[in-house]
Amino acid sequence: AKSRVYNSHVIIDSDGIVKSTYRKSHLFDVSIPNKVNLRESATTAPGEELVVCDSPIGRLGLSTCYDVRFPEMYVDLVQRGGAEILLVPSAFTVPTGKAHWHTLLTARAIENQCYVLAAAQVGKHNNKRKSYGHSLAVDPWGDIVADAGGYDGAGTMSTERYVEDEDAVSPVEVPSIILCDIDREKINSVRERIPIQQHRANAVIRFG
């Protein structure tokens, strides 16, 4: 059998110690005749474990890119793992990014009442592929508190950094760092006002 690698999300602390490693579980395989044939599983093996990690800013729930389309994973990270901040490093294509990126991340923040921090690749990889960009921070109420910009706008960054040119290597300056504050009291406040986690645990739902 052909050997495969794991797409790994690694947390390293301020002393350079590897604290946690998550192996991406949802792999992107799609085949549309005469259009696209992508098989991540051809070179990447799926992980089988959910991972949370304590940090100075709160308990982190680890995920990667395509995982964001599977909300049940994040429910488990929060409900069973106690995550307060969901991490989603990604490389969305420009079409799927424009259509779904902000919506998916905002939904994960709202339904889990967590911060969502999503670092995102941006720019042209080669003549056939570009990544959408828009590294985001979303708060537990669903407000976007930081957006590093990408192919369809500067986000919350200065418009002076934005290049309105579809052929540019990158539409924003790279590398780019964007910062936001994490307010753990806001997590508690939102969860107190709308106790989703408690209601989810108490609900009994089944097919009749």
Side-chain angles (χ1 to χ4, degrees):
K2 183 179 179 180
S3 62
R4 297 186 292 174
V5 299
Y6 290 108
N7 187 343
S8 297
H9 177 169
V10 180
I11 300 295
I12 302 173
D13 72 11
S14 56
D15 294 321
I17 305 299
V18 174
K19 302 298 289 185
S20 291
T21 300
Y22 163 70
R23 293 168 169 172
K24 184 183 176 191
S25 56
H26 299 98
L27 304 182
F28 187 66
D29 288 3
V30 62
S31 180
I32 303 173
N34 303 318
K35 288 188 177 181
V36 63
N37 183 31
L38 296 173
R39 291 188 66 245
E40 186 177 11
S41 64
T43 57
T44 305
E48 297 178 351
E49 295 183 359
L50 296 177
V51 176
V52 295
C53 175
D54 288 325
S55 81
I57 60 171
R59 178 163 282 197
L60 311 175
L62 279 59
S63 67
T64 302
C65 202
Y66 188 51
D67 287 331
V68 76
R69 293 185 181 273
F70 299 87
E72 64 278 4
M73 172 179 175
Y74 297 89
V75 170
D76 279 347
L77 285 170
V78 174
Q79 198 85 354
R80 295 166 54 200
E84 300 166 296
I85 300 161
L86 302 171
L87 305 182
V88 197
S90 301
F92 263 45
T93 66
V94 173
T96 57
K98 287 181 177 180
H100 299 152
W101 177 245
H102 290 74
T103 301
L104 286 167
L105 293 169
T106 301
R108 297 299 84 83
I110 293 170
E111 66 201 7
N112 293 291
Q113 301 172 313
C114 287
Y115 279 91
V116 171
L117 306 181
Q121 291 186 33
V122 64
K124 187 178 292 186
H125 298 265
N126 52 50
N127 290 331
K128 294 183 178 181
R129 184 184 170 196
K130 294 186 289 189
S131 285
Y132 176 63
H134 286 282
S135 293
L136 287 188
V138 188
D139 76 10
W141 193 245
D143 291 328
I144 293 172
V145 293
D147 180 342
Y151 272 100
D152 56 0
T156 59
M157 303 291 275
S158 168
T159 54
E160 295 177 1
R161 299 177 60 257
Y162 182 65
V163 179
E164 196 166 352
D165 180 359
E166 288 287 329
D167 295 321
V169 173
S170 173
V172 292
E173 289 180 11
V174 290
S176 179
I177 295 175
I178 191 165
L179 305 176
C180 76
D181 292 323
I182 300 296
D183 182 356
R184 294 177 72 180
E185 281 305 310
K186 184 160 192 175
I187 299 173
N188 296 333
S189 173
V190 169
R191 291 180 177 182
E192 187 175 83
R193 278 187 283 168
I194 309 176
I196 291 173
Q197 317 306 330
Q198 178 185 333
H199 293 162
R200 180 182 285 123
N202 293 341
V204 178
I205 304 172
R206 59 179 178 270
F207 285 103

